[in-house]
Amino acid sequence: MSTDFILVTGGAGFIGANFVLNWVAQEGARPVVLDKLTYAGNPETLASLQGDARHQLVQGDIGDAALVSRLLTEHQPRAVVNFAAESHVDRSIVSPDAFVNTNVVGTFTLLHATLDYWRVLDASARAAFRFLHVSTDEVYGTLGPDDPAFSETTPYAPNSPYAASKAASDHLVRSYFHTYGLPTLTTNCSNNYGPFQFPEKLIPLMILNALEGKPLPVYGDGLNVRDWLHVADHCTAIRRVLEAGRLGETYNIGGNAERTNLQIVQAICATLDDLRPGARPYASLVTHVPDRPGHDRRYAINATKILQELGWQPSIAAEAGLRQTVAWYLAHQAWVDGVRTGAYRQWIDQNYSARGNA
Ligand code: NAD
Ligand code: DAU
C-alpha cells in the first residue's frame, strides 16, 4: 500500500531544496530526500528541517539501483520527483562525463528501479503513482529575436552537453510512459533565480562579485536573452503538475520575463547601489569576457498549456523577485560562506581565468 511519502531526488540542490521546504510548508508531510551531495548539494539548505525526526536526507546516487530500490520499497512513496542532475552549462563544456553519468545513465537507473517498484504496487497505488521529471527549456535549443517562444511541440535541438544530456533524459522518461505505461510527467522550465542558488550561476555570482568589488564577467556582448522565473513559482508549478498533469505529457513553465544578461546585471547593480551603496556605482565593475562556446542566444517560453490545463501562472514579478533575491544574499552570508569552499574557488579560477578575468 502506498503512503503519503514522496521521494525527492536532488532535494539538497537549489530548486529541489526550495521544493522540499515549500512541500513541508504546504503539505505538512516530509519528503524523503535522496541526494549525492555533489558540490551543488548542501544539507545546510535544509537546516530548518534538522531535528525533525520525520526529515530524511539520504546521501546517495540516483544511479545506484540497489539503493534506489531499497528506498522505494522501504518508504513506498506515491511519487518520485527527480531534480537530481548536473546543472551548470559551463561545467558541461569543461567536463561532460558527469552530465552523461548522472543526467542520462542516472535518470535511466532511477526510472527503471521506479518501474520495478510501480509494477508490483496494488491497483489503486499503481493508479495514483507519479514519476515527475524536472527538465529545462534548454532542450529546445536557441531562438532568433523574432521566433515564437518554445512550446511543448517545439522540436528538441540541444546545443550544450548539459542540454543534450537533459534531452536524452526527457526521451527516456517519454519512452517509459509509452513502452511500459509508467505514469510519468515532465516539466521544462526556464531560468530560475531565488534563495539558495549556488553562486556559479549568473545572478548569485554577480551579486557576490559585486559585493567584493570583483569584475562582473558578462559573456560576449551580454545581449543573450533568458526568461527568468522565481524558484517559488517553479515549485508551485511542479506541485500543480504533480497534482493534476495529464500522464505522459510535458508542460513548459516560464516567467514571461525575457531579459538580456546585461539588463539582469544592471538591475542587480542598481539594487545593490540602493541596499548597500559603495564608493562607485556597482555597474562600473561590468567586464565583457570571451563568450561561452555554443552560447544559446535566446530562450522564451510559451506557457499557455499549463495555464489553460492547470490554471498555473507566475505570481512574482521579475523586478520584485530580483530585489528580494539580492536582499536574501545580503542577509545570508553564513550560507554563502558555507558553499564557497576550496572546490568552488578552484572552479571560479578555472572558468574565469581562461576568459582572462581571474
Ligand atoms: P543544482 O545543481 O543546484 O542541484 C542539483 C542537485 O542534484 C544537487 O543537490 C546535487 O547534489 C544533486 N545530484 C547531482 N547528481 C546526483 C546524483 N547522481 N544522484 C543524486 N543526486 C545528485 O540544480 P538546480 O538548479 O536545483 O536544478 C534542479 C533540476 O532542475 C535539474 O534537473 C535542472 O536540469 C533543472 N532545471 C534547472 C533550472 C535552473 O534555472 N536552475 C531551470 C530549469 C530546470
Ligand atoms: O534555461 C534553464 C537553464 O538555466 C537550466 O536548465 C540550467 O540548469 C541553469 O543553469 C540555467 O542555464 P543558463 O546557462 O542559462 O544559466 P547561467 O546562470 O549559467 O547563465 C545565464 C546567462 O548568463 C547565460 O546567457 C550565460 C550568462 N553568463 C553566465 C555566467 C555564469 C554570463 O554572462 N556570465 C557568467 O559569469
Side-chain angles (χ1 to χ4, degrees):
M1 196 195 64
S2 190
T3 63
D4 197 36
F5 275 121
I6 63 166
L7 176 67
V8 176
T9 63
F14 163 49
I15 307 174
N18 273 283
F19 180 83
V20 168
L21 294 172
N22 174 283
W23 186 270
V24 169
Q26 302 290 324
E27 312 279 332
R30 268 58 178 162
V32 178
V33 175
L34 170 63
D35 197 296
K36 191 175 173 182
L37 299 181
T38 67
Y39 76 91
N42 183 5
E44 276 306 301
T45 306
L46 297 172
S48 61
L49 302 179
Q50 278 162 17
D52 181 335
R54 294 168 299 171
H55 169 57
Q56 293 195 62
L57 168 59
V58 179
Q59 181 170 11
D61 193 327
I62 56 166
D64 180 343
L67 172 64
V68 172
S69 297
R70 182 172 66 70
L71 288 175
L72 290 169
T73 310
E74 207 170 288
H75 297 288
Q76 298 278 301
R78 66 174 167 88
V80 172
V81 184
N82 180 32
F83 294 93
E86 290 292 335
S87 69
H88 190 34
V89 173
D90 292 320
R91 288 186 192 250
S92 84
I93 294 166
V94 174
S95 323
D97 330 31
F99 288 74
V100 174
N101 287 336
T102 283
N103 300 0
V104 186
V105 182
T107 304
F108 160 72
T109 306
L110 179 67
L111 265 173
H112 205 83
T114 305
L115 177 65
D116 287 342
Y117 160 73
W118 173 77
R119 275 180 163 155
V120 296
L121 291 174
D122 65 41
S124 71
R126 211 165 44 242
F129 185 82
R130 300 289 182 268
F131 181 100
L132 191 150
H133 178 60
V134 179
S135 192
T136 171
D137 60 358
E138 301 207 7
V139 297
Y140 298 121
T142 187
L143 294 170
D146 300 320
D147 287 338
F150 301 132
S151 77
E152 289 78 1
T153 55
T154 301
Y156 274 30
N159 290 320
S160 69
Y162 163 69
S165 66
K166 291 296 290 186
S169 67
D170 293 7
H171 291 323
L172 283 166
V173 172
R174 177 189 162 91
S175 77
Y176 270 62
F177 171 73
H178 284 279
T179 303
Y180 306 112
L182 184 71
T184 66
L185 297 156
T186 298
T187 55
N188 294 90
C189 187
S190 61
N191 284 63
N192 282 215
Y193 68 95
F196 302 114
Q197 187 166 32
F198 193 76
E200 63 187 354
K201 305 284 168 64
L202 179 74
I203 289 178
L205 181 95
M206 293 296 172
I207 297 170
L208 299 182
N209 274 23
L211 286 171
E212 291 179 358
K214 290 182 178 165
L216 306 181
V218 172
Y219 296 165
D221 63 8
L223 299 180
N224 301 67
V225 172
R226 297 290 181 267
D227 169 55
W228 292 95
L229 179 71
H230 193 281
V231 64
D233 275 330
H234 188 188
C235 293
T236 316
I238 292 169
R239 286 186 44 226
R240 187 69 194 122
V241 173
L242 192 58
E243 186 176 66
R246 281 186 296 131
L247 297 187
E249 292 290 315
T250 68
Y251 291 89
N252 281 359
I253 303 171
N256 204 16
E258 287 184 56
R259 303 285 185 276
T260 66
N261 294 336
L262 270 177
Q263 283 174 321
I264 293 290
V265 174
Q266 280 157 1
I268 291 169
C269 290
T271 307
L272 283 172
D273 288 337
D274 188 23
L275 298 179
R276 185 68 65 85
R280 290 187 303 154
Y282 288 100
S284 62
L285 297 169
V286 169
T287 307
H288 289 265
V289 299
D291 212 348
R292 173 186 280 176
H295 196 176
D296 286 336
R297 192 65 172 166
R298 174 177 166 241
Y299 303 143
I301 287 275
N302 176 342
T304 309
K305 180 175 172 181
I306 191 169
L307 173 63
Q308 289 185 345
E309 282 190 19
L310 304 177
W312 177 88
Q313 58 187 335
S315 67
I316 303 173
E319 280 63 33
L322 196 56
R323 188 176 174 89
Q324 191 193 91
T325 302
V326 172
W328 187 90
Y329 278 90
L330 287 175
H332 290 81
Q333 191 61 46
W335 184 89
V336 168
D337 292 342
V339 299
R340 291 201 296 183
T341 58
Y344 170 75
R345 290 177 201 286
Q346 203 181 347
W347 161 253
I348 295 294
D349 281 351
Q350 183 180 3
N351 192 40
Y352 295 98
S353 62
R355 292 187 155 90
N357 182 39

